[in-house]
Amino acid sequence: MSSSNSPEVLQQKLKEMIAEEFSISIDKLTPEATVESLGIDSLGLIDFMFKVEDELGVDMPDSRTPLLTLADVYAEIAKATPRAVKG
């Protein structure tokens, strides 16, 4: 398995996407940071998830899991990208 499919690489890519999409400094994007504390509203998060689908070529499941922290966001996206979590 190449290192480009590792969970760490996926998380870094997502951080970069979030930083760009929401104009947030990447150093503030810790896993425990809440979506609310970063000023990301629910519509913005939904729109971002669609962009993740397009960018990564994945289909996000229609989940009812609340995405309260960035760790939640990373975990939800990792579910749709099994190469990133299976080694």
Side-chain angles (χ1 to χ4, degrees), residues 17-46:
M17 291 175 68
I18 292 167
E20 182 177 332
E21 178 73 19
F22 299 104
S23 301
I24 299 169
S25 174
I26 204 161
D27 63 319
K28 293 182 180 179
L29 301 178
T30 61
E32 58 277 349
T34 65
V35 174
E36 182 180 0
S37 74
L38 296 171
I40 302 171
D41 65 18
S42 58
L43 247 43
L45 186 58
I46 291 168

PDB file of all heavy atoms in Angstrom, residues 17-46:
ATOM      1  N   MET A  17      -8.091  21.241   2.503  1.00  0.00           N
ATOM      2  CA  MET A  17      -9.360  21.587   1.863  1.00  0.00           C
ATOM      3  C   MET A  17     -10.216  22.469   2.773  1.00  0.00           C
ATOM      4  O   MET A  17     -10.818  23.442   2.314  1.00  0.00           O
ATOM      5  CB  MET A  17     -10.121  20.309   1.480  1.00  0.00           C
ATOM      6  CG  MET A  17      -9.474  19.529   0.359  1.00  0.00           C
ATOM      7  SD  MET A  17     -10.329  17.956   0.026  1.00  0.00           S
ATOM      8  CE  MET A  17     -11.903  18.572  -0.644  1.00  0.00           C
ATOM      9  N   ILE A  18     -10.272  22.134   4.058  1.00  0.00           N
ATOM     10  CA  ILE A  18     -11.061  22.924   5.016  1.00  0.00           C
ATOM     11  C   ILE A  18     -10.470  24.325   5.145  1.00  0.00           C
ATOM     12  O   ILE A  18     -11.202  25.319   5.132  1.00  0.00           O
ATOM     13  CB  ILE A  18     -11.126  22.226   6.384  1.00  0.00           C
ATOM     14  CG1 ILE A  18     -11.950  20.940   6.294  1.00  0.00           C
ATOM     15  CG2 ILE A  18     -11.709  23.161   7.447  1.00  0.00           C
ATOM     16  CD1 ILE A  18     -11.827  20.026   7.497  1.00  0.00           C
ATOM     17  N   ALA A  19      -9.152  24.408   5.271  1.00  0.00           N
ATOM     18  CA  ALA A  19      -8.486  25.702   5.406  1.00  0.00           C
ATOM     19  C   ALA A  19      -8.807  26.600   4.215  1.00  0.00           C
ATOM     20  O   ALA A  19      -9.126  27.786   4.380  1.00  0.00           O
ATOM     21  CB  ALA A  19      -6.977  25.515   5.542  1.00  0.00           C
ATOM     22  N   GLU A  20      -8.756  26.028   3.027  1.00  0.00           N
ATOM     23  CA  GLU A  20      -9.036  26.809   1.821  1.00  0.00           C
ATOM     24  C   GLU A  20     -10.514  27.172   1.713  1.00  0.00           C
ATOM     25  O   GLU A  20     -10.860  28.326   1.444  1.00  0.00           O
ATOM     26  CB  GLU A  20      -8.606  26.022   0.584  1.00  0.00           C
ATOM     27  CG  GLU A  20      -8.813  26.788  -0.702  1.00  0.00           C
ATOM     28  CD  GLU A  20      -8.329  26.031  -1.926  1.00  0.00           C
ATOM     29  OE1 GLU A  20      -7.402  25.212  -1.814  1.00  0.00           O
ATOM     30  OE2 GLU A  20      -8.896  26.267  -2.996  1.00  0.00           O
ATOM     31  N   GLU A  21     -11.379  26.192   1.931  1.00  0.00           N
ATOM     32  CA  GLU A  21     -12.823  26.408   1.779  1.00  0.00           C
ATOM     33  C   GLU A  21     -13.368  27.459   2.744  1.00  0.00           C
ATOM     34  O   GLU A  21     -14.212  28.274   2.382  1.00  0.00           O
ATOM     35  CB  GLU A  21     -13.561  25.077   1.986  1.00  0.00           C
ATOM     36  CG  GLU A  21     -15.065  25.173   1.897  1.00  0.00           C
ATOM     37  CD  GLU A  21     -15.579  25.385   0.489  1.00  0.00           C
ATOM     38  OE1 GLU A  21     -14.847  25.119  -0.483  1.00  0.00           O
ATOM     39  OE2 GLU A  21     -16.732  25.819   0.356  1.00  0.00           O
ATOM     40  N   PHE A  22     -12.885  27.426   3.999  1.00  0.00           N
ATOM     41  CA  PHE A  22     -13.461  28.284   5.031  1.00  0.00           C
ATOM     42  C   PHE A  22     -12.518  29.399   5.495  1.00  0.00           C
ATOM     43  O   PHE A  22     -12.822  30.094   6.463  1.00  0.00           O
ATOM     44  CB  PHE A  22     -13.911  27.433   6.225  1.00  0.00           C
ATOM     45  CG  PHE A  22     -14.970  26.432   5.856  1.00  0.00           C
ATOM     46  CD1 PHE A  22     -14.647  25.087   5.709  1.00  0.00           C
ATOM     47  CD2 PHE A  22     -16.283  26.820   5.634  1.00  0.00           C
ATOM     48  CE1 PHE A  22     -15.618  24.154   5.366  1.00  0.00           C
ATOM     49  CE2 PHE A  22     -17.260  25.900   5.281  1.00  0.00           C
ATOM     50  CZ  PHE A  22     -16.923  24.562   5.142  1.00  0.00           C
ATOM     51  N   SER A  23     -11.387  29.549   4.807  1.00  0.00           N
ATOM     52  CA  SER A  23     -10.399  30.585   5.152  1.00  0.00           C
ATOM     53  C   SER A  23     -10.004  30.522   6.631  1.00  0.00           C
ATOM     54  O   SER A  23     -10.069  31.510   7.361  1.00  0.00           O
ATOM     55  CB  SER A  23     -10.930  31.977   4.799  1.00  0.00           C
ATOM     56  OG  SER A  23     -11.230  32.062   3.434  1.00  0.00           O
ATOM     57  N   ILE A  24      -9.614  29.322   7.050  1.00  0.00           N
ATOM     58  CA  ILE A  24      -9.203  29.078   8.433  1.00  0.00           C
ATOM     59  C   ILE A  24      -7.733  28.686   8.426  1.00  0.00           C
ATOM     60  O   ILE A  24      -7.305  27.884   7.590  1.00  0.00           O
ATOM     61  CB  ILE A  24     -10.044  27.945   9.069  1.00  0.00           C
ATOM     62  CG1 ILE A  24     -11.525  28.315   9.089  1.00  0.00           C
ATOM     63  CG2 ILE A  24      -9.555  27.626  10.477  1.00  0.00           C
ATOM     64  CD1 ILE A  24     -12.438  27.153   9.464  1.00  0.00           C
ATOM     65  N   SER A  25      -6.972  29.217   9.361  1.00  0.00           N
ATOM     66  CA  SER A  25      -5.570  28.856   9.491  1.00  0.00           C
ATOM     67  C   SER A  25      -5.459  27.356   9.777  1.00  0.00           C
ATOM     68  O   SER A  25      -6.145  26.834  10.665  1.00  0.00           O
ATOM     69  CB  SER A  25      -4.933  29.659  10.628  1.00  0.00           C
ATOM     70  OG  SER A  25      -3.622  29.213  10.856  1.00  0.00           O
ATOM     71  N   ILE A  26      -4.589  26.685   9.042  1.00  0.00           N
ATOM     72  CA  ILE A  26      -4.469  25.231   9.173  1.00  0.00           C
ATOM     73  C   ILE A  26      -4.054  24.804  10.578  1.00  0.00           C
ATOM     74  O   ILE A  26      -4.415  23.725  11.032  1.00  0.00           O
ATOM     75  CB  ILE A  26      -3.537  24.663   8.089  1.00  0.00           C
ATOM     76  CG1 ILE A  26      -3.859  23.190   7.833  1.00  0.00           C
ATOM     77  CG2 ILE A  26      -2.082  24.881   8.440  1.00  0.00           C
ATOM     78  CD1 ILE A  26      -3.334  22.667   6.520  1.00  0.00           C
ATOM     79  N   ASP A  27      -3.338  25.663  11.308  1.00  0.00           N
ATOM     80  CA  ASP A  27      -2.918  25.290  12.664  1.00  0.00           C
ATOM     81  C   ASP A  27      -4.083  25.246  13.651  1.00  0.00           C
ATOM     82  O   ASP A  27      -3.961  24.675  14.733  1.00  0.00           O
ATOM     83  CB  ASP A  27      -1.797  26.200  13.177  1.00  0.00           C
ATOM     84  CG  ASP A  27      -2.222  27.648  13.302  1.00  0.00           C
ATOM     85  OD1 ASP A  27      -2.933  28.147  12.414  1.00  0.00           O
ATOM     86  OD2 ASP A  27      -1.820  28.292  14.301  1.00  0.00           O
ATOM     87  N   LYS A  28      -5.227  25.805  13.291  1.00  0.00           N
ATOM     88  CA  LYS A  28      -6.419  25.735  14.136  1.00  0.00           C
ATOM     89  C   LYS A  28      -7.227  24.462  13.896  1.00  0.00           C
ATOM     90  O   LYS A  28      -8.160  24.169  14.638  1.00  0.00           O
ATOM     91  CB  LYS A  28      -7.326  26.947  13.879  1.00  0.00           C
ATOM     92  CG  LYS A  28      -6.719  28.250  14.337  1.00  0.00           C
ATOM     93  CD  LYS A  28      -7.674  29.391  14.111  1.00  0.00           C
ATOM     94  CE  LYS A  28      -7.038  30.686  14.593  1.00  0.00           C
ATOM     95  NZ  LYS A  28      -7.923  31.826  14.367  1.00  0.00           N
ATOM     96  N   LEU A  29      -6.854  23.703  12.887  1.00  0.00           N
ATOM     97  CA  LEU A  29      -7.635  22.541  12.483  1.00  0.00           C
ATOM     98  C   LEU A  29      -7.157  21.267  13.186  1.00  0.00           C
ATOM     99  O   LEU A  29      -6.670  20.332  12.575  1.00  0.00           O
ATOM    100  CB  LEU A  29      -7.589  22.383  10.960  1.00  0.00           C
ATOM    101  CG  LEU A  29      -8.121  23.583  10.185  1.00  0.00           C
ATOM    102  CD1 LEU A  29      -8.000  23.355   8.694  1.00  0.00           C
ATOM    103  CD2 LEU A  29      -9.556  23.893  10.573  1.00  0.00           C
ATOM    104  N   THR A  30      -7.339  21.247  14.485  1.00  0.00           N
ATOM    105  CA  THR A  30      -7.000  20.070  15.279  1.00  0.00           C
ATOM    106  C   THR A  30      -8.211  19.131  15.310  1.00  0.00           C
ATOM    107  O   THR A  30      -9.355  19.588  15.160  1.00  0.00           O
ATOM    108  CB  THR A  30      -6.632  20.477  16.713  1.00  0.00           C
ATOM    109  OG1 THR A  30      -7.755  21.121  17.311  1.00  0.00           O
ATOM    110  CG2 THR A  30      -5.432  21.422  16.721  1.00  0.00           C
ATOM    111  N   PRO A  31      -7.997  17.843  15.501  1.00  0.00           N
ATOM    112  CA  PRO A  31      -9.126  16.915  15.516  1.00  0.00           C
ATOM    113  C   PRO A  31     -10.197  17.259  16.548  1.00  0.00           C
ATOM    114  O   PRO A  31     -11.386  17.038  16.316  1.00  0.00           O
ATOM    115  CB  PRO A  31      -8.475  15.557  15.836  1.00  0.00           C
ATOM    116  CG  PRO A  31      -7.080  15.703  15.323  1.00  0.00           C
ATOM    117  CD  PRO A  31      -6.714  17.139  15.589  1.00  0.00           C
ATOM    118  N   GLU A  32      -9.779  17.838  17.686  1.00  0.00           N
ATOM    119  CA  GLU A  32     -10.763  18.144  18.730  1.00  0.00           C
ATOM    120  C   GLU A  32     -11.473  19.478  18.521  1.00  0.00           C
ATOM    121  O   GLU A  32     -12.420  19.798  19.247  1.00  0.00           O
ATOM    122  CB  GLU A  32     -10.120  18.092  20.113  1.00  0.00           C
ATOM    123  CG  GLU A  32      -8.949  19.030  20.318  1.00  0.00           C
ATOM    124  CD  GLU A  32      -7.610  18.503  19.805  1.00  0.00           C
ATOM    125  OE1 GLU A  32      -7.486  17.328  19.455  1.00  0.00           O
ATOM    126  OE2 GLU A  32      -6.680  19.310  19.750  1.00  0.00           O
ATOM    127  N   ALA A  33     -11.062  20.254  17.521  1.00  0.00           N
ATOM    128  CA  ALA A  33     -11.737  21.529  17.237  1.00  0.00           C
ATOM    129  C   ALA A  33     -13.171  21.255  16.808  1.00  0.00           C
ATOM    130  O   ALA A  33     -13.423  20.375  15.983  1.00  0.00           O
ATOM    131  CB  ALA A  33     -10.996  22.289  16.144  1.00  0.00           C
ATOM    132  N   THR A  34     -14.104  22.010  17.378  1.00  0.00           N
ATOM    133  CA  THR A  34     -15.495  21.821  16.980  1.00  0.00           C
ATOM    134  C   THR A  34     -15.782  22.608  15.708  1.00  0.00           C
ATOM    135  O   THR A  34     -15.184  23.655  15.457  1.00  0.00           O
ATOM    136  CB  THR A  34     -16.483  22.268  18.081  1.00  0.00           C
ATOM    137  OG1 THR A  34     -16.362  23.679  18.267  1.00  0.00           O
ATOM    138  CG2 THR A  34     -16.241  21.525  19.387  1.00  0.00           C
ATOM    139  N   VAL A  35     -16.676  22.058  14.932  1.00  0.00           N
ATOM    140  CA  VAL A  35     -17.094  22.710  13.701  1.00  0.00           C
ATOM    141  C   VAL A  35     -17.642  24.105  14.039  1.00  0.00           C
ATOM    142  O   VAL A  35     -17.311  25.094  13.382  1.00  0.00           O
ATOM    143  CB  VAL A  35     -18.141  21.834  12.976  1.00  0.00           C
ATOM    144  CG1 VAL A  35     -18.720  22.538  11.777  1.00  0.00           C
ATOM    145  CG2 VAL A  35     -17.520  20.495  12.574  1.00  0.00           C
ATOM    146  N   GLU A  36     -18.435  24.177  15.093  1.00  0.00           N
ATOM    147  CA  GLU A  36     -19.025  25.446  15.524  1.00  0.00           C
ATOM    148  C   GLU A  36     -17.950  26.468  15.907  1.00  0.00           C
ATOM    149  O   GLU A  36     -18.027  27.634  15.518  1.00  0.00           O
ATOM    150  CB  GLU A  36     -19.973  25.210  16.700  1.00  0.00           C
ATOM    151  CG  GLU A  36     -20.671  26.461  17.172  1.00  0.00           C
ATOM    152  CD  GLU A  36     -21.617  26.208  18.337  1.00  0.00           C
ATOM    153  OE1 GLU A  36     -21.734  25.057  18.795  1.00  0.00           O
ATOM    154  OE2 GLU A  36     -22.230  27.186  18.781  1.00  0.00           O
ATOM    155  N   SER A  37     -16.930  26.036  16.651  1.00  0.00           N
ATOM    156  CA  SER A  37     -15.883  26.966  17.087  1.00  0.00           C
ATOM    157  C   SER A  37     -15.079  27.513  15.909  1.00  0.00           C
ATOM    158  O   SER A  37     -14.467  28.574  16.011  1.00  0.00           O
ATOM    159  CB  SER A  37     -14.941  26.302  18.096  1.00  0.00           C
ATOM    160  OG  SER A  37     -14.077  25.374  17.444  1.00  0.00           O
ATOM    161  N   LEU A  38     -15.095  26.794  14.795  1.00  0.00           N
ATOM    162  CA  LEU A  38     -14.391  27.243  13.598  1.00  0.00           C
ATOM    163  C   LEU A  38     -15.275  28.129  12.715  1.00  0.00           C
ATOM    164  O   LEU A  38     -14.826  28.612  11.675  1.00  0.00           O
ATOM    165  CB  LEU A  38     -13.889  26.033  12.810  1.00  0.00           C
ATOM    166  CG  LEU A  38     -12.854  25.173  13.526  1.00  0.00           C
ATOM    167  CD1 LEU A  38     -12.604  23.890  12.756  1.00  0.00           C
ATOM    168  CD2 LEU A  38     -11.554  25.941  13.727  1.00  0.00           C
ATOM    169  N   GLY A  39     -16.529  28.315  13.133  1.00  0.00           N
ATOM    170  CA  GLY A  39     -17.442  29.166  12.380  1.00  0.00           C
ATOM    171  C   GLY A  39     -18.035  28.502  11.153  1.00  0.00           C
ATOM    172  O   GLY A  39     -18.482  29.174  10.227  1.00  0.00           O
ATOM    173  N   ILE A  40     -18.047  27.172  11.155  1.00  0.00           N
ATOM    174  CA  ILE A  40     -18.605  26.428  10.021  1.00  0.00           C
ATOM    175  C   ILE A  40     -20.044  26.053  10.360  1.00  0.00           C
ATOM    176  O   ILE A  40     -20.292  25.329  11.323  1.00  0.00           O
ATOM    177  CB  ILE A  40     -17.780  25.163   9.730  1.00  0.00           C
ATOM    178  CG1 ILE A  40     -16.317  25.529   9.449  1.00  0.00           C
ATOM    179  CG2 ILE A  40     -18.393  24.377   8.574  1.00  0.00           C
ATOM    180  CD1 ILE A  40     -15.383  24.348   9.365  1.00  0.00           C
ATOM    181  N   ASP A  41     -20.990  26.563   9.571  1.00  0.00           N
ATOM    182  CA  ASP A  41     -22.389  26.231   9.834  1.00  0.00           C
ATOM    183  C   ASP A  41     -22.777  24.935   9.113  1.00  0.00           C
ATOM    184  O   ASP A  41     -22.007  24.398   8.319  1.00  0.00           O
ATOM    185  CB  ASP A  41     -23.318  27.386   9.456  1.00  0.00           C
ATOM    186  CG  ASP A  41     -23.335  27.707   7.966  1.00  0.00           C
ATOM    187  OD1 ASP A  41     -22.907  26.864   7.148  1.00  0.00           O
ATOM    188  OD2 ASP A  41     -23.780  28.817   7.624  1.00  0.00           O
ATOM    189  N   SER A  42     -23.954  24.432   9.399  1.00  0.00           N
ATOM    190  CA  SER A  42     -24.364  23.130   8.867  1.00  0.00           C
ATOM    191  C   SER A  42     -24.456  23.135   7.344  1.00  0.00           C
ATOM    192  O   SER A  42     -24.063  22.166   6.701  1.00  0.00           O
ATOM    193  CB  SER A  42     -25.686  22.685   9.489  1.00  0.00           C
ATOM    194  OG  SER A  42     -26.693  23.636   9.242  1.00  0.00           O
ATOM    195  N   LEU A  43     -24.944  24.217   6.753  1.00  0.00           N
ATOM    196  CA  LEU A  43     -25.017  24.284   5.290  1.00  0.00           C
ATOM    197  C   LEU A  43     -23.630  24.303   4.674  1.00  0.00           C
ATOM    198  O   LEU A  43     -23.384  23.646   3.655  1.00  0.00           O
ATOM    199  CB  LEU A  43     -25.794  25.530   4.862  1.00  0.00           C
ATOM    200  CG  LEU A  43     -27.141  25.310   4.179  1.00  0.00           C
ATOM    201  CD1 LEU A  43     -27.980  24.269   4.818  1.00  0.00           C
ATOM    202  CD2 LEU A  43     -27.844  26.593   3.920  1.00  0.00           C
ATOM    203  N   GLY A  44     -22.732  25.042   5.293  1.00  0.00           N
ATOM    204  CA  GLY A  44     -21.354  25.081   4.814  1.00  0.00           C
ATOM    205  C   GLY A  44     -20.703  23.714   4.884  1.00  0.00           C
ATOM    206  O   GLY A  44     -19.956  23.323   3.983  1.00  0.00           O
ATOM    207  N   LEU A  45     -20.990  22.981   5.954  1.00  0.00           N
ATOM    208  CA  LEU A  45     -20.419  21.646   6.115  1.00  0.00           C
ATOM    209  C   LEU A  45     -20.971  20.686   5.069  1.00  0.00           C
ATOM    210  O   LEU A  45     -20.220  19.900   4.476  1.00  0.00           O
ATOM    211  CB  LEU A  45     -20.690  21.115   7.529  1.00  0.00           C
ATOM    212  CG  LEU A  45     -20.031  19.795   7.884  1.00  0.00           C
ATOM    213  CD1 LEU A  45     -18.510  19.853   7.731  1.00  0.00           C
ATOM    214  CD2 LEU A  45     -20.398  19.383   9.304  1.00  0.00           C
ATOM    215  N   ILE A  46     -22.262  20.772   4.799  1.00  0.00           N
ATOM    216  CA  ILE A  46     -22.870  19.912   3.773  1.00  0.00           C
ATOM    217  C   ILE A  46     -22.254  20.203   2.413  1.00  0.00           C
ATOM    218  O   ILE A  46     -21.883  19.291   1.669  1.00  0.00           O
ATOM    219  CB  ILE A  46     -24.397  20.093   3.748  1.00  0.00           C
ATOM    220  CG1 ILE A  46     -25.017  19.505   5.018  1.00  0.00           C
ATOM    221  CG2 ILE A  46     -25.011  19.453   2.500  1.00  0.00           C
ATOM    222  CD1 ILE A  46     -26.471  19.867   5.240  1.00  0.00           C
TER     223      ILE A  46
END
